Amino acid sequence: MSKTHFFPALVLMTLAGISAASAQSAPSPVPQFTAPKVDIFKELRVISGVTVSGNGELTFVGSDAKIHRTDSKGSEKWAFPVGDIGRAYPVVTPQGVTIAASYDDTVYALDPGGKLLWKQKLDGDIFATPALRIDGSVIVATAGGTIHALSAAGKPLWTYKVGAPVFSSPAIGPDGTIYFGAQNNRMHALTPGGQLKWTYAAGSLVFSSPAVGPDGSVYFGSSDRRIHAVAPDGKPRWTLLTGLFVNASPIITSGGLVVVGSYDGSVYAVNTSGETEWTYRAGAGIAGSAVELSDGSVLVPDLSGTVHAIGKAGQALWQIKTGKKIDTGLSVSDQGSLYFVTDGGGLNIVQKQRPLAVGPWTTFHGAPNPVGRVPTPVELQAQTQARREAASAVLAALKPSTAATTAPAHPAQPAQPSQPAPTTQPTQPAQPAPVPALTPAQYAAAAGQKARVADGQLFLPLTEVAGALRLDVGNVTVRTATVRVQGQALPITVRTFDRAAFVPLAALSDLPGASARLTRTPAAGVTLSLGGQTALFPVNLTRLLSLQSGPEFASGTVR
């Protein structure tokens, strides 16, 4: 074990302490539904992430310095001893070969029965999960500051000297470009042959592993408190400032949102243009990656030991509270089992959940088996078909998804295919679609440019609302303000975004004599009325309607 073994652990422990102190004053949103229970708990001393194969089997590295394979319920099938512990997720190839790494500076390849095929000693501890290329070769990053390319038989192909430790797991774009972050504060891009294409400077260390979009854009976090988006040519696209370090690795949802948690205790969902779609306050720092399920909901673990289920508009669906730290990502099988590891190495299994959403990067390192590569369109289609078949039984047994709304007065119905008008009936003029009754979560997904979204609610700028409705506002703090309505001075909740006060739409609707409704004329928007004054705030109806429930795995895609 080398000296570099201790550095990331010390840094992450320090960050966790800072995170706990900073996030404890921000309570989690109230979940709308009863949480599922942990069905199986086993003290397996898991120390790495858990890799799920297509057949539901699990592979991980334990604190006993062994690579373990178990069935879907954690019963051991085989174990192989290595020279040290390891935190990297194992990778399982389509042929069933397990590629795993440990802190003994070595990469191991095991056959489906757990027998050694080959091993290769490298130049430092291996914290990063290897990436599997389409030809079966493997890209490995070390704390010694080197990127290694190994053939499918374990033979060295080339090396690239970074000059700084690498804890960020390499990712492979659609054109074969290799991306990784390093402790020199930079994101790097290498050609498939190991030549440097470009580097991009972040403001601090990069522990976060990059997520790669179908167009080759790269998304990652940094200890500079920012989420970064970089174009395939290395030019900056956008950054988003959070409250603390972003060392977790992003996912990209099937709807195109970049989702990642921060040590500030919040989860951020950002579209590929850099606009925040929603934020969610977990209340504790986040180090592990999220996963997206087939109904569009997102699951995120935090360092207090809570797993949060978040709806498509950022609303709290449910929370599993274990009381034990979770600092690795979540894993989901095609058969609908959720896996996570709590402090001490306990394996938690929650059964009868939805399977993983199909997309290029809907979980850590791009797939339930984290190969770290953007799949080809053919691979993605095959993945969709396989997941549809594997998930059909569990989906048939589950209740309709609650990801889209939070108990609306009139629940949205799945869109029905249009039918030709019967020839015996006269043609009717087209009628506008009825306007649904909206919940705060639905308003949130329909936010206009001047609005902000957080915790499944829409917030409107207090100054503009007060001006439009002619409200007298006073005593504005970071949490509350006073408004005068019908001669009464009433307290109202506010939230601060970019040093400006915003007020929840739900709080405005609760004021005496106030009403809020969705209107289509003269423009689509939320219309507020109070004391004879009316104001229209624009919304995006297309985004609103996309929240309606739809069939899962329909037409080869996942909603």
Side-chain angles (χ1 to χ4, degrees), residues 24 54 68 183 185 193 202 211 284 307 353 373 398 444 462 482 512 558:
Q24 63 185 358
H68 294 265
Q183 300 301 286
N185 304 352
V307 176
Q353 299 303 298
R373 176 174 57 82
L398 290 174
L462 179 59
T482 301
V558 177

Side-chain angles (χ1 to χ4, degrees), residues 208 221 227 246-251 258-262 266-269 286 290 300:
S208 176
I227 304 166
V246 185
N247 292 346
S249 302
I251 65 168
V258 179
V259 178
V260 65
S262 168
S266 291
V267 182
Y268 297 84
I286 298 164
V300 183

Side-chain angles (χ1 to χ4, degrees), residues 108-125:
Y108 297 84
L110 310 178
D111 72 13
K115 304 298 183 183
L116 181 68
L117 293 173
W118 55 261
K119 63 180 180 178
Q120 185 63 247
K121 185 83 169 181
L122 303 180
D123 67 329
D125 292 346

Side-chain angles (χ1 to χ4, degrees), residues 52-56 332-337 353-356 368 383 386-392 394 553:
V52 185
S53 300
N55 61 3
V332 180
S333 73
D334 288 348
Q335 295 76 21
S337 289
Q353 299 303 298
R354 282 178 157 73
L356 192 71
Q383 190 182 100
R387 192 158 299 155
R388 180 193 294 117
E389 294 172 359
S392 59
V394 69
F553 302 102

Side-chain angles (χ1 to χ4, degrees), residues 206 217 447:
V206 181
S217 294

Side-chain angles (χ1 to χ4, degrees), residues 415-463:
Q416 300 296 324
S418 58
Q419 300 292 334
T423 55
T424 56
Q425 297 295 327
T427 301
Q428 298 295 324
Q431 298 294 324
V435 176
L438 297 181
T439 67
Q442 288 173 303
Y443 279 122
Q449 288 186 339
K450 294 183 179 179
R452 294 291 187 274
V453 179
D455 304 334
Q457 293 192 71
L458 176 67
F459 291 79
L460 299 176
L462 179 59
T463 300

Side-chain angles (χ1 to χ4, degrees), residues 225 454 484:
R225 304 186 297 164
R484 185 166 293 278

Side-chain angles (χ1 to χ4, degrees), residues 121-200:
K121 185 83 169 181
L122 303 180
D123 67 329
D125 292 346
I126 305 167
F127 293 86
T129 297
L132 181 68
R133 297 203 283 190
I134 197 167
D135 64 355
S137 60
V138 182
I139 304 299
V140 187
T142 72
T146 304
I147 304 299
H148 298 260
L150 305 176
S151 72
K155 303 300 183 183
L157 298 175
W158 52 258
T159 60
Y160 175 82
K161 293 290 186 180
V162 183
V166 180
F167 305 123
S168 167
S169 299
I172 300 170
D175 63 351
T177 298
I178 301 159
Y179 303 98
F180 60 92
Q183 300 301 286
N184 59 2
N185 304 352
R186 291 180 176 273
M187 178 60 58
H188 301 71
L190 304 183
T191 68
Q195 302 299 310
L196 181 66
K197 292 179 70 173
W198 50 258
T199 65
Y200 165 92

